[in-house]
């Protein structure tokens, strides 16, 4: 099946998020706001050209924007492409919620075994079982 323009955009976003370094850059920009590249680089044990490559991937995915302020490059989080990730994950979240709800129902319907009651109640029947 040929990739559409939208699919290629999603692939760029998911590819950008695949790196722990790039996820950390996004976290820093989210938590601390726009920052010059030098300030971002201080958080990583890598050469600046390596960080610049990560920033390029994030820029191409639309996750950060770059603004020049004199000789500095200021990077800003652009969170809009993350809605694609949320939308893609939505059906999986609903799937797992349904599975967990089914598990909760199953567990609620199971009769308590004698061993479970003993642990829950404790040896004297007061409810002070193991770990209490």
């Amino acid at each position: 099946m040929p990739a559409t323009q939208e699919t290629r955009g999603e692939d760029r976003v998911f590819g950008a998020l695949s790196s722990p370094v790039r996820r950390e850059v996004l976290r820093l920009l989210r938590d601390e706001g726009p920052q010059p590249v030098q300030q971002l680089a201080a958080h990583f044990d890598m050469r600046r050209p390596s960080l610049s490559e990560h920033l390029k991937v994030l820029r191409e995915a639309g996750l950060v924007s770059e603004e020049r302020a004199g000789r500095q490059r200021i990077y800003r989080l652009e969170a809009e492409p993350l809605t694609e990730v949320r939308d893609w994950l939505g059906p999986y979240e609903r799937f797992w919620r349904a599975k967990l709800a089914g598990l909760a129902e199953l567990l609620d319907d199971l009769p308590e075994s004698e061993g479970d009651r003993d642990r829950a109640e404790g040896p004297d029947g007061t409810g002070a079982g193991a770990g209490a």
Side-chain angles (χ1 to χ4, degrees):
M1 175 160 80
T4 65
Q5 186 72 23
E6 184 178 318
T7 303
R8 286 190 295 268
E10 284 178 358
D11 289 347
R12 280 191 176 163
V13 171
F14 280 101
L17 295 174
S18 68
S19 164
V21 169
R22 293 190 288 265
R23 290 192 306 269
E24 179 64 9
V25 167
L26 294 176
R27 187 197 65 76
L28 289 166
L29 293 173
R30 180 197 67 206
D31 292 351
E32 300 175 16
Q35 298 179 43
V37 69
Q38 298 86 339
Q39 189 174 340
L40 287 169
H43 294 277
F44 300 97
D45 186 24
M46 66 176 64
R47 301 187 84 104
R48 192 156 149 211
S50 297
L51 180 61
S52 292
E53 282 299 313
H54 286 291
L55 290 167
K56 178 182 176 190
V57 171
L58 290 169
R59 227 179 23 256
E60 289 174 351
L63 291 165
V64 300
S65 60
E66 174 188 88
E67 178 184 323
R68 290 194 179 250
R71 293 177 52 168
Q72 289 189 327
R73 293 179 185 195
I74 309 294
Y75 286 87
R76 175 184 318 276
L77 174 66
E78 301 294 341
E80 183 63 28
L82 294 174
T83 60
E84 296 171 14
V85 175
R86 183 198 63 214
D87 293 346
W88 187 86
L89 288 172
Y92 295 96
E93 181 180 358
R94 287 188 294 279
F95 170 82
W96 281 111
R97 283 181 192 257
K99 292 290 185 189
L100 291 173
L103 177 61
E105 285 179 29
L106 175 69
L107 293 174
D108 288 344
D109 291 343
L110 285 177
E112 273 189 46
S113 70
E114 199 167 308
D116 290 341
R117 275 193 304 270
D118 290 346
R119 279 192 298 276
E121 292 179 357
D124 59 359
T126 63

